Amino acid sequence: MEQSSRYAARRAAGPQRLSALAHRAVALLLAASTLLPLGLQAEPVRRDHINVELVAAMDAAVPGEPLTVALRLEPDDHWHTYWRNPGDSGLPTRMSWTLPEGLQAGDILWPFHERQPMGPLTNFGYSGEHFLLTEIDIPDTLEASTLPLVVAASWLVCDDVCIPGSADLTLELPVRDAAQPSQWATALAATRKRIATPLVVPAQYAVDGDRLRIQLQPDALGDTANAVYFPATPELASNTDEPVFQRTDDVLEISVGTSEYLGEPPTHTEHVVVLDDERAVRFQAQLIGPEALVPVEAASAPGGSGFSLWLAIPFALLGGLILNLMPCVFPVLSIKAVSVAQQSGSEAAHRRAHALFYTGGVVGGFVLLAIGLLVLREAGERIGWGFQLQSPVFVAILAWVMFILGLSLAGAFEVGTRLMGIGDSLTHQGGNRGALITGLLACLVATPCTAPFMGPAMGFAITQPAVIALTVFAALGLGMALPFLLIGFVPAAARLLPRPGAWMLTFKQLMAFPMYLTAVWLIWVLGRQTGVNGMAIGLTGIVLLAFAVWLWGRRPASGPQRVVLAAMAWAAVLLAGVLLASPLLRSAPAQAVETTSAHGGDWGDYAPDRVAALQANGQAVFVNLTADWCVTCHVNERVALNTGEVIAAMERAGVTRLKGDWTNRDPVITTVLERHDRTGVPLYLLYPGTAGAAPQVLPQLLTPQRVIAAIDAL
């Protein structure tokens, strides 16, 4: 009541604040006492500088189904109405319903609005045609043939002057068993997209001097680069001050000046953040003392201050080179080993051509994946490097490709030898085409994890224009291909290759078995993503492809039987392709991560607010962000994180272990990766037991000694 009195008093005090707007304040005071209904209207009404109408999304009311209705307001050019919090002056639009017995109308669903500066004041409202939506619950017991809806609407429309208006509007709809969209359905659907969605997250605010500081968990709002803040509670925050968004690892803070009319701060307040042109969220914040706030320092820009293209390119080259030593490359070692072996004894020109085609495949693969990453991010997807392996369909296809390549290496059919560039003669063009495809496959399978130096380079790249980003990713591919360029262009390196001989055929067949193991690993990843049914589809596809290869190999040299067997083989391949459209081959909700190691150490589920709560209680936290398809992640867990000595060190230091699973898409984990200039896993964070303290980022290759040293340094 006291706050409402202050609100009304501020409106009456308008002439004292701005003499040029004195007539507006007088008009508001007169309107408050003279607003009277002007009679029922069956058609749109025209009032001073505005058209007003009651419309519905459907052409009939259906018992048991909610009905969306809206007050349509169309101010003249340069005129506007007001939002629920009008800002420094103005009044919000009001709606009071008269409905048949048993019907109930909800509150106004306010679409997000625009700032409207007026001299030293800032107001919040709407220009042009706009709709204020309301949901009406229609009981399933409604037996009337028509449904009359009556609303008493009042508004304030302003330009240089403000004019109050009101009208009683009526809309009569037939009652039917089914309804069709009305002429207003599209406009109302577009308005609904602009309504702030409720965000159910813990949020607190405090008045710290002349600043209002609102704090949420760090990932609550996602990307706030283009966010705009609006206080939904009147007389709380300054409407003219520019809000500041700051983020640490454990808190997101919105800081804005307090309103000059703020008295006793309300216990609960409401806030709206417009994230972009089509999305907004609203949330409640509870009052706390400023001493309870998490300390916040200004967040650094992505990629780190001073990070430039000329630094990113060397980092990318070095990171790509080191990628050859990462466990993520293990699945393609067989392809690379055969590729190197086939160059022994070849002429220099052929070695150079092979190296160039392989490099083109690797660099092209990096660039294509980078284009996909940038396009999807531009479309609003929260993804990172290795995103292709977050798609169960892609994982299934890749498992099948690895199985087919294994059959090819084993000699089950001859087409694959040419595909892999392992023909009888290294002078054939097929060898170069095979090198190109080998490079593409090496990129696809080897890049779900990131090597040292890659993280900062890729974190910088995805924040830059497309040309710079693609240049950095091309440098990554070039770094990965450098050893093979060395073999192709440096005679001394080529002389280290073994001499050709009969051993090459045996070696090629032996390398089929790592390909089979890779297919098994990918099918396991598919099962983790989709469950047993998705895994069964992946295995069924492998059987169909094996059957196709078997049929293809039994074709006679000529005759009708050759055509029949070939058609049956292609039919099996087509049926395998049809399996990819199965609804069972879709990402299921992320499965619980393994919570107990071989040595008994427990892993809890990662959540940013859980980290903040543990730090507030004085507990240190180790966060392991991982994915089932990340080989480096599993190697680190086996050789370091889940060893007895590391677990014992964590228990002595009171470190809580949390694991975040990025096997399927998870925007929360993606945001954390971005904040630390990473685009992929693994990411290891060691938080000290101090509220709000920033974490130490551990290397991507771990040893027990390295982890224990970090723990001892807490």
Side-chain angles (χ1 to χ4, degrees):
M1 181 66 70
E2 180 183 348
Q3 183 178 355
S4 300
S5 299
R6 292 198 310 271
Y7 186 74
R10 179 166 68 97
R11 295 295 180 263
Q16 300 176 8
R17 299 183 59 203
L18 186 63
S19 59
L21 300 177
H23 55 283
R24 178 185 307 174
V26 173
L28 295 179
L29 291 174
L30 291 175
S33 62
T34 60
L35 291 179
L36 295 174
L38 299 179
L40 291 177
Q41 301 289 339
E43 298 292 336
V45 300
R46 174 69 181 176
R47 293 289 184 263
D48 289 337
H49 296 287
I50 192 169
N51 297 319
V52 186
E53 184 178 4
L54 186 61
V55 300
M58 309 300 289
D59 65 358
V62 178
E65 295 184 7
L67 176 67
T68 300
V69 295
L71 180 65
R72 174 180 170 267
L73 301 112
E74 187 181 17
D76 292 349
D77 291 344
H78 311 298
W79 292 74
H80 60 266
T81 65
Y82 291 92
W83 185 50
R84 55 180 295 192
N85 174 15
D88 287 325
S89 67
L91 289 172
T93 301
R94 302 297 186 195
M95 299 169 65
S96 178
W97 291 91
T98 301
L99 301 174
E101 185 177 356
L103 273 69
Q104 184 175 0
D107 296 331
I108 295 176
L109 302 176
W110 299 89
F112 55 83
H113 47 287
E114 59 194 29
R115 291 181 181 271
Q116 296 166 333
M118 297 187 67
L121 308 180
T122 299
N123 298 330
F124 307 140
Y126 308 96
S127 301
E129 182 186 52
H130 55 280
F131 301 83
L132 301 182
L133 275 57
T134 300
E135 294 286 340
I136 297 180
D137 293 326
I138 309 297
D140 54 10
T141 57
L142 182 66
E143 296 180 353
S145 59
T146 60
L147 179 63
L149 306 174
V150 180
V151 65
S154 62
W155 61 86
L156 187 69
V157 60
C158 297
D159 185 13
D160 291 333
V161 297
C162 287
I163 302 175
S166 66
D168 283 357
L169 305 171
T170 184
L171 177 67
E172 191 165 284
L173 294 174
V175 178
R176 301 177 186 153
D177 292 334
Q180 298 297 321
S182 72
Q183 62 174 314
W184 304 105
T186 301
L188 299 191
T191 299
R192 185 176 291 277
K193 291 181 180 179
R194 294 175 60 83
I195 294 172
T197 57
L199 192 66
V200 184
V201 296
Q204 300 84 33
Y205 87 100
V207 178
D208 190 6
D210 61 351
R211 302 293 292 178
L212 194 74
R213 296 175 58 189
I214 308 155
Q215 294 191 342
L216 309 89
Q217 61 191 46
D219 308 309
L221 302 182
D223 185 10
T224 57
N226 300 312
V228 181
Y229 165 79
F230 295 96
T233 301
E235 300 185 340
L236 178 68
S238 169
N239 301 312
T240 57
D241 189 37
E242 187 69 24
V244 176
F245 289 77
Q246 293 178 297
R247 193 195 306 269
T248 69
D249 292 319
D250 301 295
V251 71
L252 170 67
E253 181 174 289
I254 306 170
S255 175
V256 63
T258 57
S259 169
E260 62 181 294
Y261 297 100
L262 177 63
E264 186 68 22
T267 303
H268 293 87
T269 55
E270 187 168 4
H271 310 266
V272 171
V273 176
V274 179
L275 298 171
D276 53 41
D277 291 339
E278 298 181 355
R279 296 183 301 152
V281 296
R282 67 180 191 271
F283 60 92
Q284 299 278 342
Q286 184 175 5
L287 178 67
I288 60 174
E291 68 280 355
L293 291 170
V294 176
V296 173
E297 297 178 358
S300 60
S305 59
F307 206 82
S308 66
L309 177 63
W310 306 114
L311 184 59
I313 288 179
F315 269 50
L317 286 169
L318 188 56
L321 180 63
I322 298 175
L323 185 61
N324 288 281
L325 305 176
M326 298 291 287
C328 288
V329 181
F330 290 170
V332 290
L333 280 180
S334 58
I335 301 176
K336 290 190 174 186
V338 173
S339 177
V340 171
Q342 74 173 48
Q343 295 185 61
S344 60
S346 63
E347 297 178 1
H350 298 149
R351 287 198 307 271
R352 289 194 294 269
H354 188 279
L356 288 173
F357 272 85
Y358 174 80
T359 300
V362 176
V363 173
F366 269 88
V367 170
L368 288 174
L369 286 175
I371 291 173
L373 175 64
L374 295 173
V375 169
L376 290 173
R377 278 177 165 263
E378 189 67 22
E381 295 286 345
R382 304 296 305 234
I383 58 174
W385 195 245
F387 69 94
Q388 71 275 13
L389 290 176
Q390 292 178 326
S391 166
V393 172
F394 181 88
V395 172
I397 293 174
L398 194 58
W400 297 349
V401 168
M402 292 298 149
F403 177 71
I404 291 297
L405 291 179
L407 292 178
S408 170
L409 290 170
F413 63 103
E414 295 299 323
V415 175
T417 57
R418 190 176 180 190
L419 178 67
M420 294 295 294
I422 311 171
D424 292 333
S425 174
L426 293 175
T427 63
H428 288 171
Q429 183 63 21
N432 290 333
R433 289 198 303 269
L436 181 70
I437 294 174
T438 299
L440 285 169
L441 286 172
C443 172
L444 284 177
V445 181
T447 56
C449 301
T450 55
F453 300 101
M454 278 183 66
M458 295 200 308
F460 166 80
I462 62 174
T463 66
Q464 302 303 307
V467 173
I468 295 178
L470 295 180
T471 300
V472 174
F473 281 107
L476 285 168
L478 181 60
M480 183 176 177
L482 276 178
F484 293 88
L485 279 175
L486 183 68
I487 292 174
F489 283 84
V490 179
R495 284 194 291 270
L496 297 176
L497 296 175
R499 294 181 178 276
W503 67 270
M504 291 180 61
L505 179 61
T506 302
F507 180 73
K508 183 189 71 170
Q509 294 173 348
L510 180 64
M511 289 298 99
F513 293 95
M515 304 306 294
Y516 296 147
L517 290 175
T518 302
V520 170
W521 165 63
L522 289 167
I523 291 295
W524 174 78
V525 171
L526 184 65
R528 295 278 292 179
Q529 291 176 319
T530 64
V532 176
N533 291 334
M535 180 184 289
I537 288 177
L539 291 172
T540 301
I542 282 181
V543 173
L544 287 171
L545 293 174
F547 182 58
V549 169
W550 180 74
L551 288 172
W552 193 268
R554 292 181 62 85
R555 294 173 304 148
S558 60
Q561 188 177 6
R562 176 182 176 86
V563 176
V564 171
L565 290 178
M568 292 177 62
W570 281 113
V573 173
L574 180 62
L575 183 57
V578 170
L579 291 176
L580 297 176
S582 170
L584 297 176
L585 205 62
R586 297 293 181 268
S587 292
Q591 301 183 24
V593 295
E594 296 177 8
T595 57
T596 305
S597 73
H599 297 274
D602 293 333
W603 288 99
D605 293 334
Y606 167 75
D609 55 347
R610 187 173 183 183
V611 174
L614 289 168
Q615 280 190 293
N617 290 332
Q619 287 185 262
V621 184
F622 185 91
V623 173
N624 171 17
L625 300 183
T626 180
D628 288 334
W629 38 260
C630 173
V631 180
T632 302
C633 304
H634 291 290
V635 171
N636 283 335
E637 290 180 8
R638 176 66 62 180
V639 304
L641 296 180
N642 288 339
T643 60
E645 54 186 327
V646 170
I647 293 173
M650 289 188 178
E651 290 177 349
R652 285 194 306 269
V655 176
T656 301
R657 310 199 311 165
L658 302 180
K659 181 184 289 189
D661 189 359
W662 206 50
T663 302
N664 294 329
R665 293 184 184 180
D666 187 324
V668 172
I669 294 178
T670 303
T671 302
V672 176
L673 293 171
E674 291 171 348
R675 194 179 314 122
H676 293 283
D677 299 328
R678 296 287 181 84
T679 55
V681 291
L683 176 62
Y684 305 110
L685 304 172
L686 181 58
Y687 292 83
T690 304
Q696 176 186 354
V697 180
L698 272 66
Q700 290 168 299
L701 292 178
L702 297 180
T703 63
Q705 294 74 22
R706 185 172 289 169
V707 178
I708 293 172
I711 295 171
D712 291 341
L714 285 175

